[in-house]
């Protein structure tokens, strides 16, 4: 299966000048766990809910700390025509849970570990049905 079949095409981006409070409000509104930080079309970094929680734990001022100060950079990306296995390999090698999907320099989606995990049961079910049709005498599912 390809990344393009699993990725979320609705990527919410933010400017580096956005404050932690503003970012948390956007993330809450859209029920997302990260914001891709951009300047024009250029990807500058990424900020996750974990990054914001760490800042709060460190007593950073949520109204004055900017995303550009805390973002992770560079951002790892993947092509939408790569396989899910390719995405998993990049994530595990780099100990990250999300990849920005790009075609050239353009953001076309984002794929997370949760996205990949959520498709697994569907794949198992499809494979089990395929196997049960092909094995004589097998009536399991």
């Amino acid at each position: 299966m390809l990344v393009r079949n699993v990725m979320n095409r609705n990527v919410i981006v933010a400017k580096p000048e956005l404050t932690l409070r503003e970012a948390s409000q956007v993330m809450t509104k859209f029920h997302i766990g990260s914001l891709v930080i951009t300047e024009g079309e250029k990807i500058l970094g990424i900020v996750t809910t974990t990054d914001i929680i760490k800042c709060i734990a460190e007593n950073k001022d949520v109204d004055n700390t900017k995303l550009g100060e805390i973002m992770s950079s560079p951002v790892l990306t993947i092509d939408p025509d790569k396989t899910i296995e390719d995405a998993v390999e990049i994530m595990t090698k780099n100990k990250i849970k999300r990849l920005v999907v790009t075609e050239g320099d353009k953001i076309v989606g984002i794929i997370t570990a949760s996205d990949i995990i959520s498709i697994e049961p569907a794949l198992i079910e499809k494979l089990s049905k395929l196997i049960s049709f092909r094995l004589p005498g097998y009536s399991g599912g």
Side-chain angles (χ1 to χ4, degrees), residues 73-134:
S73 185
V75 176
L76 295 178
T77 63
I78 191 165
D79 186 276
D81 292 321
K82 293 290 187 178
T83 66
I84 296 301
E85 290 79 11
D86 293 330
V88 169
E89 184 176 327
I90 294 168
M91 288 176 180
T92 54
K93 179 181 176 186
N94 294 282
K95 296 182 174 106
I96 58 173
K97 296 178 186 172
R98 39 188 71 74
L99 287 169
V100 176
V101 184
T102 57
E103 282 184 313
D105 290 334
K106 184 178 180 197
I107 298 171
V108 296
I110 192 164
I111 186 166
T112 68
S114 297
D115 296 331
I116 294 168
I117 290 167
S118 71
I119 64 157
E120 189 66 23
L123 292 176
I124 292 170
E125 183 177 322
K126 285 181 181 182
L127 289 174
S128 68
K129 287 180 181 177
L130 179 64
I131 291 169
S132 66
F133 286 127
R134 302 234 172 157

Side-chain angles (χ1 to χ4, degrees), residues 35-107:
L35 290 169
V36 179
I37 312 306
T38 61
E39 195 68 64
E41 294 289 315
K42 183 177 180 180
I43 301 171
L44 301 178
I46 191 166
V47 173
T48 67
T49 52
T50 302
D51 297 326
I52 293 173
I53 290 168
K54 285 179 184 176
C55 288
I56 292 168
E58 295 168 359
N59 291 317
K60 292 194 187 263
D61 183 342
V62 296
D63 292 311
N64 290 308
T65 304
K66 310 289 185 198
L67 297 186
E69 299 170 35
I70 68 156
M71 67 185 182
S72 298
S73 185
V75 176
L76 295 178
T77 63
I78 191 165
D79 186 276
D81 292 321
K82 293 290 187 178
T83 66
I84 296 301
E85 290 79 11
D86 293 330
V88 169
E89 184 176 327
I90 294 168
M91 288 176 180
T92 54
K93 179 181 176 186
N94 294 282
K95 296 182 174 106
I96 58 173
K97 296 178 186 172
R98 39 188 71 74
L99 287 169
V100 176
V101 184
T102 57
E103 282 184 313
D105 290 334
K106 184 178 180 197
I107 298 171

